Amino acid sequence: MKLVKSLLLGSAAGLIAVGGAQAADLPVKAKAVEYVKICSLYGAGFYYIPGTDTCIKLGGYLRAEVALNSNSVYSGQFSGTGGAHNRLSNYYTMRARQDLNIDTRTATEYGVVRTYFDAVFTWTTGSYAGTGSATGATTYSGAAPVANGSDGGISGGALGVYYAFIQFAGFTMGKAVSQFDAPWTNYPGNNFDGLVGGGGTVTGVNQFTYTADFGQGITASFSAQDQTAYYQAGVVNLGIPGGVTPATAAGILGGSYGANNLGGSRSPDLVAMVRVDQAWGLFQASVAAHDNHAGYYGIDETTGHPDDKWGWAVQLALSIKNIPTGAGDTINVQGVYTDGATRYNFQPTSNPGTWSSFGSTGLAGAYQSIGFASAPDTVFVTGGQQESVKTWGMRGAYTHNWDPYWNTAIYGAYAQVKYTTAGAAAVCTNFFTLVATAAGTTCNPDFNIAQLGLITRWTPVKNLTFSADFNWTRLDQKYSGAVGLAAPIASVAKPAAAYELKDQDSFTLLLRAQRNW
């Protein structure tokens, strides 16, 4: 009887244990899934990040393009192997690019907190340069092939960070478009990126900015922005003209009149801007102050140095929308004047600031013609002070919409560069000392740049656009006569010969397909 009782108790305990295990395995009611919700506070495309009150928007584009007669896609054949116009020059340059941007916004008691990030992944055709070897060998500036191909050649591309900034309570902190720039940056109506005539930090500049909104479309901004990445056109040490100098004959003809002799950064550029945005368009006025801080005259600090020299720039911009020629038609124009702040005219992202281009000649005994020029912020000689370079320029475009699918823009730009009397005299002393010149040759480092272009865009479906942009650029240099090279310029494969000093032209056609998302 005792055995039976023990068995019954054991069986009951086993049943209870099994029942407990089964109860533990029973499903419990799951928490509700937090589905992504649309955020309508900031426009189309924003969604709430699950579990937060922050809204996020993803965007970007994929672009495929080819530039004919260009070594850099967005610019002309102004210098280097491009300006050589020989077998080292690219007849075409191709590029593929993916852009990704992330926009987040959160409403707070102080207003909206915003972060914005924009990056690009790019693959671009490389270029070639002469090595100066007896065999005439060249080197390729593009990425070398990956030995084992393990990464598919990704390492040959490039990653760029265009924008990365925080906005809070009227402040902008980080890498953003300069407050000096017109809203269309480098593009009043074009895709070509090498226009003169105004500021254009398409890729953004580090800054600390406060923007005041007065209502009725009126805003004002005050900004301290980094000058070291984009705004230093050059503080050029000419040495002792006629004596010890860093200049060389090949360097001068390459658009380098001396050695760029910048000291360490001392002050950011100071920018102020006022803008009026209305239904008819906008008007903007911008000013900037730029500190030119040079290094030493010689090899060490005992040689002395020139004093700092502040430069400045002022710009006006005007946009007129929906003009009578058609719905959506626009005119964008801007004008700029600089004194010791050249990059606010010759924008930094694609315009070289130096020119050296070869072409045909009609001068008897000359091998070819050459046009060269340089646009630094200042120049100085040993024992002297900085002489600022003055410029002015303008650019603009008229865009006409033929129908919802086609539009055409005609655009142009013009800029002038002028050296001081003392600065020009020092440049010319080096020129006549170092470069062999023919009788009657004259020296004047001043120059003009003229540009004209035409672009047509076709958008067969929303956010997919095909475009063709043709640009002509002319270097109107002020040198005259002829020069002689005593030795070849190996980097561009130009022989020792006589060259006529002459204005030069560059023509570029940029074809692009772009899908925005």
Side-chain angles (χ1 to χ4, degrees), residues 15-62:
L15 290 172
I16 291 172
V18 171
Q22 290 176 341
D25 291 340
L26 289 176
V28 296
K29 186 176 181 181
K31 293 182 179 180
V33 176
E34 291 194 60
Y35 294 99
V36 176
K37 297 184 295 183
I38 293 174
C39 175
S40 59
L41 297 175
Y42 311 110
F46 281 91
Y47 296 87
Y48 283 101
I49 298 175
T52 75
D53 58 356
T54 297
C55 299
I56 187 170
K57 180 180 180 180
L58 303 178
Y61 61 79
L62 196 147

Side-chain angles (χ1 to χ4, degrees), residues 89-221:
S89 307
N90 283 352
Y91 278 14
Y92 70 90
T93 301
M94 302 184 75
R95 170 172 290 174
R97 168 172 287 174
Q98 171 66 60
D99 175 276
L100 171 66
N101 57 70
I102 305 171
D103 192 345
T104 70
R105 307 189 194 190
T106 306
T108 74
E109 60 269 30
Y110 299 98
V112 175
V113 176
R114 182 191 185 197
T115 66
Y116 188 81
F117 172 78
D118 184 84
V120 293
F121 304 86
T122 304
W123 182 280
T124 308
T125 303
S127 298
Y128 299 84
T131 63
S133 69
T135 61
T138 61
T139 58
Y140 178 61
S141 68
V146 179
N148 58 11
S150 60
D151 69 349
I154 294 173
S155 61
L159 171 65
V161 176
Y162 277 12
Y163 310 120
F165 61 83
I166 299 170
Q167 288 181 322
F168 173 67
F171 291 94
T172 299
M173 298 156 282
K175 197 168 188 280
V177 171
S178 170
Q179 303 302 313
F180 185 90
D181 294 352
W184 47 84
T185 54
N186 296 336
Y187 313 110
N190 50 291
N191 287 343
F192 179 81
D193 203 18
L195 286 186
V196 298
T201 52
V202 174
T203 58
V205 58
N206 282 319
Q207 61 189 270
F208 186 87
T209 298
Y210 178 73
T211 300
D213 190 339
F214 301 102
Q216 306 298 317
I218 302 174
T219 57
S221 295

Side-chain angles (χ1 to χ4, degrees), residues 299-320:
I299 195 170
D300 62 50
E301 60 191 33
T302 64
T303 60
H305 60 82
D307 296 335
D308 283 19
K309 187 176 184 65
W310 279 85
W312 57 276
V314 60
Q315 177 176 267
L316 300 177
L318 176 67
S319 178
I320 303 176

